[in-house]
Amino acid sequence: FVFLFTPAAGGVSDEFVLDYPEKLPDALRGEKYAFVTLPLSEFLEGNVNEENVGTGRICPIPGVDGMPGTTPSPETMIPGWLVLSPRADSLARWMASLELAFLRADLKKKSVVLEVGLSTQYQVARIMDEQKQEAEGFEAAKRKAAGLHFIAVQTEPEDEEVAGFFLLQEAA
């Protein structure tokens, strides 16, 4: 991050600006990606849970189990980012080793960005012109779902099980 020098304020401010995202290391890239969705009911009914997400985590859902906030409707579609790779197990373990914060579609920079920890960003993919509408839909669905979204990692799209699944929430 970069500290801002503001002469009018008498020096360095406590604000910071994140630099551009780092390129995701080649060894950690998936071969294919897709924007996908799952209904919130899959989580609320326990069909997606800590026991069947492979290497992964599920963040608390607002309004459930004493968590603050209002639970979105069970019919709410939770947007996700599906990563397909023959190295799915390795990618899932790497993601599990990070402090995943959230994923965002940066429409201005035409990038899908993974926020990690407090100050690390990885560009995981470029958004092509034909994907712009899907990326806009991803961000709109996140807003409707109280910031909830997920990353799923699998070898093939037909696989019944995931190598990794991470339910995340971007704070408003």
Side-chain angles (χ1 to χ4, degrees), residues 29-34 82-88 91 152-159:
R29 293 180 99 53
E31 276 66 38
K32 296 180 184 175
Y33 304 97
L82 176 62
V83 179
L84 298 172
S85 173
R87 301 178 326 278
L91 288 173
V153 183
Q154 314 182 186
T155 305
E156 297 290 334
E158 307 83 31
D159 290 349

Side-chain angles (χ1 to χ4, degrees), residues 143 146-147 169-172:
R143 287 188 295 277
Q169 183 178 23
E170 183 175 356

Side-chain angles (χ1 to χ4, degrees), residues 4-36:
L4 299 178
F5 182 77
T6 53
V12 178
S13 82
D14 58 358
E15 297 179 41
F16 63 91
V17 176
L18 295 175
D19 290 337
Y20 286 97
E22 299 174 36
K23 182 180 175 193
L24 192 65
D26 288 339
L28 302 173
R29 293 180 99 53
E31 276 66 38
K32 296 180 184 175
Y33 304 97
F35 289 107
V36 295

Side-chain angles (χ1 to χ4, degrees), residues 57-130:
R57 295 187 283 276
I58 296 179
C59 75
I61 296 172
V64 176
D65 296 329
M67 292 304 299
T70 303
T71 306
S73 162
E75 297 82 33
T76 301
M77 297 305 284
I78 305 301
W81 178 251
L82 176 62
V83 179
L84 298 172
S85 173
R87 301 178 326 278
D89 290 329
S90 297
L91 288 173
R93 282 193 300 274
W94 174 75
M95 286 184 174
S97 74
L98 299 173
E99 291 180 40
L100 299 179
F102 58 90
L103 188 78
R104 65 183 166 85
D106 185 331
L107 299 169
K108 290 180 183 171
K109 295 179 184 167
K110 296 184 177 184
S111 295
V112 177
V113 178
L114 178 62
E115 300 275 349
V116 180
L118 293 175
S119 62
T120 303
Q121 302 174 337
Y122 290 110
Q123 177 185 338
V124 296
R126 299 285 305 152
I127 298 171
M128 301 297 147
D129 290 338
E130 60 271 12

